[in-house]
Amino acid sequence: MAQKLALVTGAGNGIGAAIAAAARRAGYRVGVMDANAEAARAMASQLGDAIALPCDVTDEKAVDAALATLGGTPDLLVNNAGIVKFGHLLDISVEDFRRVLDVDLVGAYILSRAVGRGMRERGHGNIVSISSINAITPSLGTNAYAAAKGGLVVLTKLLALELGQYGVRVNSVSPGFVDGGMSTAVFANTKIRELRTNAVPLRRLGSVEDIANAVMFLASDASSYIHGQDLGVDGGLVHSLLSQIPRA
Ligand SMILES: NC(=O)c1ccc[n+]([C@@H]2O[C@H](COP(=O)([O-])OP(=O)(O)OC[C@H]3O[C@@H](n4cnc5c(N)ncnc54)[C@H](O)[C@@H]3O)[C@@H](O)[C@H]2O)c1
């Protein structure tokens, strides 16, 4: 049987790098896509037998060229690339708002569209997108990031409606507090780290591997009837609001 192929976007660092490594361990040949060319190459060479794909997910032509380099439609697509620019909605620029939407939502659409066509033709495939708990309960100041992540959950449901009949499953994962990637600086502050850890019902921060494990579960046959879902991987955080409010 031919080796399975996975494409992970934003795989040069953080959660994406952990997903790429988990996919490699699960037997996939991995396409390591990242706008940071150096990071894409370093991660691909660290994995061994992987394909570096330096590419911005918002650039349709570059994505098509990267898919040609990959050498075919992947069995697994993980839309993980994402950026955040904090600031109140009334104070940020429209340019910044657009850029975040473009990377976090439109980029996932561009990849899902290009790869989804190949999956539809072949009659199987699996797409997992990395959203955030901000899609469900947005944190003040996350502006376009939260809006994009909410859009990504709905995009997932729409793709599931379109692609299910062709044997293609589509789901998303919504991480909570993750000790790594774009949150590394946040959790370097020991006071914030302690406060946030204590807010999580499981009383620990998530690791990048916790998120990668959830992605690999959704990519595997163990989840063969799970479709169009958003899987929260947050130690119970999203559902803890009322328990954090003092009672008389
Ligand atoms: N770390 C967290 O706390 C956390 C929590 C919830 C959700 N997430 C989500 O997980 C995903 C990964 O985040 P992370 O924490 O690993 O961040 P990260 O910044 O460590 O990694 C993101 C990677 O995406 C790449 N990237 C950025 N823009 C790109 C573009 N236009 N095209 C291609 N690649 C691009 C970056 O170069 C980087 O390597 C993101 O979608 C993020 O929103 C992260």
Side-chain angles (χ1 to χ4, degrees), residues 10 12-16 34-36 55-57 80-83 99 103 130-132 145 149 175-176 178 180-183:
N13 195 56
I15 293 171
D34 206 293
N36 179 336
C55 173
D56 185 323
V57 294
N80 165 81
I83 56 169
R99 178 63 188 162
V103 175
I130 309 301
S131 180
S132 162
Y145 178 80
K149 295 301 188 181
V178 178
M182 60 171 61
S183 298

Side-chain angles (χ1 to χ4, degrees), residues 19-33:
I19 295 168
R24 183 80 184 90
R25 286 195 298 276
Y28 288 88
R29 185 151 194 247
V30 182
V32 177
M33 185 177 282

